[in-house]
């Protein structure tokens, strides 16, 4: 998949396209339906399948205090978009100037003019343009006069719940990883770099990799069953997300005990895939009590995996 960063970098001689428009945070099942529709239309009409998205999330610019926690980084988003068959993704830096473009102007000048859209695909509730005044109804109204076809993808229901990034965030915030996975279409994961910690895990008999994550987790503190992927290999892991109250710590840490693993993970890039929440984090009366609970957590993780 070709990645174009900024409209000024888009090739002026590019072929006409079928454009999927959206923030696409998480690339959940609903997003895949939108992107898949663009791919299907592009193949049918011999167009280029194109995704148009933004960096950063519009709310981070317009209302930073209310901006949602990201479900994916831009890097992860682009990799997931590529899996859908999209040929090119255009990443528009979202700035106050971009936010100020009127919806009709955005469709006319950006989507139809620059990106040469002949088909435009959006989700049923997508809004765009200044003051978020652009919506599916406006897109349909502009289609005939600007020479494109509008495709509005309806809500996708999973177990009676409309798939959305906000529903996924809510599932993550309550630690319901199976529910989040159903809406995402895959288990929730996060990437990060292994950094040096206090080294207490090794003294407890359960050495841990301290993972500095690329973005906030969005999960409640607690102990989780995970898969840790490093160098293309997957390993079972028990991950503690929390403040280590037994030791009086106050800084949030993500510590992974990798089962049946020997080796050095320092400075390695890893992916943590969260499968299930085992329990809440709590303060233990002694180090021995903590050690006993960790052994129980490891046993439970082996059973769960």
């Amino acid at each position: 998949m070709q990645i174009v960063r900024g409209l000024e970098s888009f090739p002026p001689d590019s072929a006409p396209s079928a454009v999927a428009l959206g923030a696409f945070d998480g690339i959940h099942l609903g997003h895949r339906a939108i992107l898949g529709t663009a791919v299907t239309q592009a193949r049918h009409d011999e167009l280029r399948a194109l995704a148009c998205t933004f960096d950063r999330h519009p709310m981070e610019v317009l209302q930073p205090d209310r901006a949602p926690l990201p479900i994916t980084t831009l890097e992860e988003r682009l990799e997931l978009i590529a899996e859908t068959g999209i040929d090119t993704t255009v990443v528009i830096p979202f700035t106050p100037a971009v936010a100020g473009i009127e919806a009709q102007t955005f469709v006319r000048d950006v989507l139809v003019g620059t990106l040469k859209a002949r088909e435009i695909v959006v989700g049923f509730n997508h809004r765009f343009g200044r003051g978020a005044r652009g919506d599916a109804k406006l897109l349909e109204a502009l289609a005939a006069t600007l020479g494109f076809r509008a495709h509005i993808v309806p809500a996708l229901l999973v177990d009676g719940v409309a798939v959305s990034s906000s529903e996924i965030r809510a599932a993550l915030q309550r630690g319901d990883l199976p529910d989040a996975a159903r809406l995402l279409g895959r288990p929730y994961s996060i990437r990060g770099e292994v950094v040096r910690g206090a080294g207490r895990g090794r003294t407890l008999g359960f050495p841990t990799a301290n993972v500095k994550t690329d973005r906030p987790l969005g999960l409640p503190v607690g102990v989780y069953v995970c898969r840790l992927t490093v160098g293309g290999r997957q390993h079972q892991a028990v991950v503690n997300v929390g403040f280590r109250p037994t030791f009086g710590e106050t800084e949030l840490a993500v510590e992974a005990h990798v089962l049946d693993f020997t080796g050095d993970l320092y400075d390695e890039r890893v992916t943590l895939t969260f499968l299930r929440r085992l329990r809440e984090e709590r303060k233990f009366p002694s180090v021995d009590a903590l050690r006993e609970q960790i052994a129980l957590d490891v046993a439970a993780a082996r059973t769960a995996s």
Side-chain angles (χ1 to χ4, degrees), residues 27-283:
I27 312 296
H28 53 59
L29 291 174
H31 294 148
R32 288 182 178 272
I34 295 166
L35 294 159
T37 299
V39 171
T40 298
Q41 291 300 323
R43 301 296 179 259
H44 181 269
D45 299 333
E46 297 183 346
L47 303 171
R48 191 162 185 79
L50 193 150
C52 180
T53 191
F54 303 94
D55 180 35
R56 301 171 288 165
H57 191 288
M59 287 289 284
E60 291 183 45
V61 175
L62 299 174
Q63 299 183 58
D65 292 342
R66 297 179 57 195
L69 287 178
I71 301 171
T72 48
T73 63
L74 177 61
E75 175 191 20
E76 291 165 335
R77 210 185 334 157
L78 292 172
E79 290 178 10
L80 290 164
I81 289 174
E83 292 176 3
T84 68
I86 288 287
D87 300 311
T88 300
T89 294
V90 178
V91 181
I92 300 176
F94 196 87
T95 63
V98 170
I101 300 174
E102 293 292 347
Q104 184 169 340
T105 303
F106 182 80
V107 175
R108 183 191 66 215
D109 294 352
V110 175
L111 299 183
V112 176
T114 301
L115 304 184
K116 301 182 180 177
R118 300 296 178 266
E119 316 273 349
I120 300 176
V121 187
V122 297
F124 73 101
N125 60 351
H126 181 69
R127 304 191 73 88
F128 59 93
R130 184 178 180 183
R133 288 193 280 267
D135 58 10
K137 219 175 250 190
L138 175 66
L139 201 62
E140 289 176 323
L142 293 174
T145 57
L146 294 180
F148 66 88
R149 289 196 300 173
H151 303 268
I152 313 304
V153 178
L156 179 68
L157 299 180
V158 172
D159 298 332
V161 176
V163 178
S164 68
S165 297
S166 58
E167 283 290 343
I168 291 165
R169 288 188 192 95
L172 294 174
Q173 286 166 5
R174 62 178 182 264
D176 189 343
L177 290 157
D179 198 14
R182 279 193 293 273
L183 301 179
L184 280 167
R186 65 184 187 279
Y188 175 69
S189 65
I190 194 165
R191 296 174 183 173
E193 181 181 348
V194 177
V195 299
R196 295 190 180 274
R200 291 197 187 95
R202 194 171 300 279
T203 65
L204 290 169
F206 298 94
T208 58
N210 194 331
V211 182
K212 182 180 179 182
T213 58
D214 293 347
R215 55 184 166 78
L217 263 175
L219 291 169
V221 297
V223 178
Y224 294 85
V225 179
C226 290
R227 286 196 308 266
L228 182 145
T229 304
V230 60
R233 301 190 65 179
Q234 294 185 350
H235 308 271
Q236 292 175 286
V238 175
V239 175
N240 185 78
V241 177
F243 298 92
R244 298 159 292 186
T246 303
F247 299 102
E249 299 280 351
T250 57
E251 185 177 347
L252 183 72
V254 179
E255 297 176 301
H257 171 63
V258 188
L259 277 58
D260 307 318
F261 178 84
T262 56
D264 186 355
L265 290 175
Y266 289 127
D267 301 323
E268 292 280 2
R269 292 279 300 169
V270 301
T271 299
L272 292 175
T273 300
F274 287 78
L275 304 176
R276 185 162 72 84
R277 189 170 188 250
L278 281 177
R279 61 174 176 86
E280 75 285 354
E281 184 183 49
R282 59 182 183 269
K283 183 176 181 177

